[in-house]
Structure formats: C-alpha cells, structure tokens
Amino acid sequence: MQEDNNTSALEEQLYYIGECKKFLEKKTKEIGRPLYACVHTFGCQMNARDSEKLLGVLKEIGYLETEDEDKSDFVIYNTCTVRENANLKVYGRLGHLKNVKRKNPHMLIAMCGCMMQEPDVVEKIRDSYKFVDIVFGTFNIYAMAKLIYNRITSGSQVIDIWEKTKDIVEELPTERKFPFKSGVNIMYGCNNFCTYCIVPYVRGREISREPKDIIMEIERLVKDGVKEVMLLGQNVDSYGKTLDNPVSFAQLLREIDKIEGLERIRFMTPHPKDIEEETLEVIRDSKKICNHIHFPLQSGSSRLLKLMNRKYTKEHYLEQVEMIRRILPDVSITTDIIVGFPGETEEDFEDTIDVVKKAKFDSAYTFIYSKRTGTPAARMENQVPEDVVKDRFNRLLATVNEVSHEHIRRYEGMDMKVLVEGKDDHEEGFVTGRMTNNILVHFAGDESLIGQIVTVHLDECKGFYYMGRLIED
Ligand code: 5AD
Ligand code: SF4
C-alpha cells in the first residue's frame, strides 16, 4: 500500500516537473536568457542532502545552478532551527533578498526546512514577508515542483506545511554537491525528545527506510562514481526497529559493506544510550566502514543528563567510550556538547570538563544552549546568565583544544589513506582530503586527484588537521 502511494506521489511530481519545465522554456524565450536557481542550505547534513534533492528538481525543471543569490531567478532557503542564531541568520538574509527581488521581476523566493515547521515562523512570513512566494516544510520537500506550479498558476503566495510524513518519495532527480561522496538517508525523524531539542517537533517521529531501498540507492550511487557514503539518521542505533521485518543497524551495515565498488562507509549519529557491541564488531571487521564515531555527549553531569532526558549517566557514557576503544583501538571519537542548559551549576560544568579529559575526543562541536520555544527545557526555571555561560563556553573550548590537539597528534609520521575532496582554500597547489578517522589533511597535489583515494604521509599535526605529503603507491 505504502509502495503504491509512493509510486503515485512520484508520478504526480514528475508530471509537475514537466509542467514547470514548459513554463520555464516559455519564460526563457520571452526574456531571452536562461534562468538561474540558487539553493542555500543552513544546518546539518540532513539538510545538505535535502538540498541536493531540491537542486536536482530545479535543474530538471530547467534552471541553471548558481551560488550567487543576487543573480538568481529562483532562490530557496533550506532552513535550520536547532539553535536560535540559525533562525536569525535567515531573517537577516531575507531582508537583502527583498531588495534583489525588487530589481528582478522574474524572481521567485522559496523557503523550506525545519524552521518552516514552526507555526509562528510561518505566520511571520505570511504577515511580514509577503514577497516570499513559496513556503513548505520538512515532510513535503519532494513536492516542490507541484508548489512551484501552484505559485506560477495562482500568482499568489503558496504555503503548504504538513504535520507528518505521508509518503517517502526518493526517486526524484538529485544533484550531488560532490561527485565522489553522498549522504544517504536511512531514517527520518527522532523519537528521543531530548528536552532542549526541537528536532522531534520539526522532523516528526522516527521512520526507517527499507534496507532494499537503501541498498538500491547506494548501488546506483556507486555506479555513478560515488566512493563514500554517509548514512544519515538522528539516532542510527535504533534503525529498523519499527520496520515490518525489523532489521538492526549492524545488519544494515553488513549488507551495505557487501556493495561492490563502494569504498567508504560513514554514519551519523549514534546515541550513547543504545550503541551496540555488535555494531562496533561489524565496524572492526569491515575494511570499508570508517574509523570514526561521532558520539554526542551533550553534558558530563548525570544530573543534567537526566534533565536533558538523555537516558545515560556520566559513568555509562564513559563505559561506552571504553567499549568503543576496546573493540576499535584506533578509532577517532568526536562529540557535541551543550553549555548553559537550564540549572547548570559550576559542579555540573566541571563534570563535563572531566569527561572531555577522560574520553579524549579528537574534536568536539561546542554549543551554547539555545532556548527553543515548545521544548520542555524552554519552560525550565534557572536559565543560566549569559556571562556565566560565555565564561564556561570559553573554558570548555580551551580544554577541548588542549585535549584533542594532544590526542590527535598520535597519527603523526603515519601513512594514511585519504579521499581527496577539493582544492585547499588556503594554499595554491595544495589539495585537501579526509582520512577514514574524518581528520583533514592538506598536501601538495593537483586537482586531478580530487575524488581519488591516495596514500599520504602525515608530516605534521596542526591542531585539528595535518600537513602531509603524497606517497606514490
Ligand atoms: N541548544 C544548543 N545546542 C543544541 N543542539 C540541539 N539542540 C540544541 C539547543 N537547543 C545541539 C546538540 C546536538 C547538535 C546537533 O545540536 O548538541 O547534538
Ligand atoms: Fe535532538 Fe536528541 Fe533527537 Fe538528537 S537524539 S535529534 S539531540 S532529540
């Protein structure tokens, strides 16, 4: 039944893509130049993947890709709302877009993604940002062509926000940012309801894709030149539990590992409360699964972890880290940490510092707690004063830097396999690549290496990255 729904939803979109295409052909002739589209992504890797889908459809419709909003005839903001500053950035940029649109009568502005799942945001756009043409959310990303068509034919603002997923439509054209690597959604949504987090409200309940669909997508990507996939889910350890025929994440990894031609497998993100030994063993026994676990700590205080609804304690987290290192001795562990959760005391904060020192992270994304309306933490008393949070944040950053610089150095002098990702932004004649442990290395080399896996000698650790030298295989 689900499959029938998906097929007809797909067909419907293909129809609207065709209709928009006709419109664009006519418009191109009328104004005597091609039309350009720009997709601007805010936020996480899920959004980055969604944006590839959006761009795929826009190109199919006939738009040419550009990164210059000021020269665009179609601009779409794929938004994030995990922290408030992500929202503020969007509003700031919208002000600028309004002026661009004044000069270009053909311009359409669309907004989608997590921020649009918040009713007060949509209300604000409806009332105060009337120049925005199309608004949709996280559950109907695939339906953009239909919404563009509705906007073109109605001439008025189109707003379409769904409360939950109706179908998973995956087979529309996508336009990958990197030819050699790709994100692959294995599940959508989240059931964890960490008390600070808005994701479960804007991305809905957890739903896993069928293994055969995931495998088929990866096989297709490999045929198309992809060497590395990043399996995406908010909580990959709970993958497959709700499928008609339940499959574990470890089983899924085993199947993906068998795909011929695929060279690297990454995944994001496991949850410390339920990472399984079996998953780690599959990683150990695989030549393709990368030597890196992103393992969000959030806080080192058992008291705060309870208030955050993380369902593990400081001790349990450290035990899990120990288990990871026992099974994968050379693994790189990275993390996310929040400072300034409501009620955080100096003692709680010191527990976080203690875990950073004990767990020896290779790197950590550190965030200042951001109050998200509608989450339980937003209603908690004892919000921590800003100056206290800033001071703790700086101290945490200093500790993270000290610990990880010391720890990351362990690879110095080694020869490592590196997937070359692009030109080095800072040095002419250099390229940048990633080792399986996710650490970056820069080395002298030309652009023809991009997309290849090469061996690099790690000369010097520079904190979070290495300088290296290409070794001829
Ligand atoms: N404030 C600050 N950081 C947050 N994160 C999620 N919600 C919030 C919030 N309200 C962080 C968590 C998560 C990462 C993706 O974003 O650390 O792991
Ligand atoms: Fe947010 Fe927690 Fe779900 Fe991650 S696991 S998306 S932090 S609710």
Side-chain angles (χ1 to χ4, degrees):
M1 187 58 200
Q2 174 79 31
E3 214 142 89
D4 289 349
N5 283 346
N6 293 354
T7 312
S8 60
L10 175 66
E11 275 165 9
E12 190 189 19
Q13 288 314 308
L14 293 174
Y15 166 77
Y16 285 113
I17 287 176
E19 289 302 298
C20 290
K21 202 171 180 160
K22 283 186 215 155
F23 171 82
L24 231 72
E25 276 164 10
K26 225 174 92 195
K27 194 99 194 152
T28 305
K29 272 199 196 121
E30 204 178 290
I31 61 176
R33 64 166 178 85
L35 289 134
Y36 287 89
C38 173
V39 180
H40 192 102
T41 313
F42 299 81
C44 68
Q45 314 228 9
M46 294 264 178
N47 266 17
R49 180 66 181 144
D50 283 343
S51 287
E52 293 184 346
K53 297 175 184 173
L54 296 169
L55 187 60
V57 169
L58 289 168
K59 284 185 114 172
E60 190 68 21
I61 288 174
Y63 283 106
L64 300 183
E65 180 188 356
T66 175
E67 284 183 6
D68 187 352
E69 286 177 4
D70 295 4
K71 290 201 183 101
S72 297
D73 303 287
F74 188 98
V75 174
I76 180 158
Y77 284 176
N78 188 7
T79 61
C80 168
T81 187
V82 81
R83 283 169 293 275
E84 196 187 6
N85 51 3
N87 287 40
L88 297 178
K89 252 191 245 166
V90 167
Y91 288 124
R93 294 183 74 117
L94 266 185
H96 170 72
L97 265 196
K98 185 179 183 181
N99 291 328
V100 180
K101 191 173 180 180
R102 244 188 233 131
K103 291 181 209 133
N104 180 2
H106 310 290
M107 189 175 191
L108 291 179
I109 299 175
M111 302 191 66
C112 67
C114 295
M115 221 174 125
M116 301 305 119
Q117 293 296 141
E118 293 181 89
D120 54 334
V121 170
V122 175
E123 209 171 296
K124 189 163 165 175
I125 293 174
R126 183 183 284 129
D127 296 343
S128 313
Y129 294 83
K130 295 196 167 70
F131 60 93
V132 173
D133 297 284
I134 304 166
V135 178
F136 55 105
T138 54
F139 302 112
N140 52 346
I141 284 271
Y142 72 86
M144 177 175 64
K146 180 178 179 179
L147 302 177
I148 296 178
Y149 179 81
N150 289 351
R151 168 62 187 79
I152 295 167
T153 47
S154 73
S156 50
Q157 193 179 50
V158 171
I159 298 181
D160 191 11
I161 309 292
W162 297 0
E163 290 300 310
K164 56 180 194 236
T165 312
K166 293 180 193 160
D167 314 295
I168 300 184
V169 179
E170 297 277 359
E171 286 82 15
L172 286 167
T174 59
E175 180 68 31
R176 287 198 316 278
K177 191 166 173 206
F178 297 96
F180 51 86
K181 67 170 188 176
S182 178
V184 173
N185 297 104
I186 62 167
M187 58 208 294
Y188 296 97
C190 183
N191 288 353
N192 287 321
F193 289 95
C194 302
T195 54
Y196 51 81
C197 186
I198 201 163
V199 169
Y201 305 91
V202 295
R203 288 250 170 203
R205 289 300 66 68
E206 193 177 289
I207 155 168
S208 296
R209 286 177 71 196
E210 286 291 339
K212 70 170 174 26
D213 294 339
I214 297 170
I215 306 273
M216 220 161 64
E217 180 177 344
I218 299 176
E219 282 172 347
R220 238 184 263 155
L221 288 168
V222 169
K223 268 202 197 104
D224 202 30
V226 164
K227 294 193 169 137
E228 176 181 302
V229 291
M230 164 79 88
L231 310 175
L232 299 171
Q234 303 293 354
N235 181 6
V236 293
D237 302 294
S238 62
Y239 169 79
K241 295 204 166 115
T242 52
L243 290 171
D244 289 344
N245 299 308
V247 173
S248 71
F249 182 55
Q251 277 170 296
L252 177 74
L253 277 179
R254 256 193 220 107
E255 290 310 307
I256 296 175
D257 193 58
K258 289 183 198 149
I259 297 176
E260 235 167 273
L262 180 63
E263 299 199 40
R264 280 183 171 188
I265 303 164
R266 298 186 183 280
F267 59 86
M268 221 172 183
T269 310
H271 194 302
K273 77 178 158 63
D274 43 21
I275 190 159
E276 285 175 358
E277 213 162 325
E278 193 191 348
T279 306
L280 300 170
E281 284 162 2
V282 177
I283 300 173
R284 178 195 60 201
D285 298 338
S286 158
K287 288 198 170 62
K288 297 179 184 171
I289 307 174
C290 288
N291 210 10
H292 169 221
I293 308 256
H294 187 65
F295 208 51
L297 167 67
Q298 313 302 1
S299 167
S301 151
S302 298
R303 190 184 77 84
L304 277 199
L305 286 167
K306 194 160 182 12
L307 290 173
M308 287 176 163
N309 193 29
R310 292 289 290 176
K311 301 199 172 78
Y312 53 85
T313 59
K314 174 185 181 182
E315 291 69 31
H316 186 214
Y317 183 90
L318 286 169
E319 279 163 22
Q320 300 287 68
V321 167
E322 217 169 90
M323 171 175 83
I324 296 172
R325 294 210 192 275
R326 175 169 47 81
I327 301 175
L328 305 168
D330 192 33
V331 75
S332 159
I333 303 179
T334 57
T335 200
D336 292 344
I337 300 170
I338 298 175
V339 182
F341 183 83
E344 183 188 71
T345 62
E346 181 60 23
E347 206 183 338
D348 294 321
F349 176 69
E350 274 161 18
D351 272 328
T352 300
I353 296 277
D354 190 41
V355 176
V356 169
K357 288 183 178 160
K358 288 188 170 134
K360 295 200 174 71
F361 299 117
D362 277 320
S363 67
Y365 295 97
T366 49
F367 304 107
I368 286 182
Y369 166 74
S370 171
K371 189 172 169 177
R372 308 312 293 126
T373 310
T375 61
R379 294 187 293 274
M380 288 179 188
E381 284 163 16
N382 311 325
Q383 304 278 333
V384 186
E386 212 178 303
D387 55 334
V388 176
V389 178
K390 284 233 167 88
D391 174 61
R392 285 183 193 156
F393 183 79
N394 291 336
R395 280 153 61 205
L396 174 67
L397 211 58
T399 310
V400 163
N401 286 344
E402 195 184 303
V403 169
S404 56
H405 289 187
E406 202 38 54
H407 192 58
I408 238 174
R409 210 173 276 286
R410 68 192 180 282
Y411 300 104
E412 225 168 52
M414 291 186 189
D415 294 345
M416 297 288 255
K417 292 277 182 213
V418 171
L419 172 59
V420 187
E421 296 198 342
K423 282 203 298 185
D424 185 351
D425 293 336
H426 304 291
E427 206 152 348
E428 194 58 36
F430 275 62
V431 287
T432 298
R434 228 172 256 279
M435 307 185 241
T436 78
N437 54 25
N438 209 38
I439 299 168
L440 287 175
V441 52
H442 307 291
F443 58 98
D446 64 75
E447 281 175 57
S448 65
L449 294 175
I450 295 172
Q452 288 188 42
I453 294 179
V454 296
T455 307
V456 175
H457 182 77
L458 303 181
D459 286 322
E460 196 189 349
C461 178
K462 297 267 193 187
F464 285 115
Y465 64 93
Y466 273 91
M467 296 307 295
R469 196 164 10 111
L470 181 67
I471 305 267
E472 302 294 336
D473 281 310

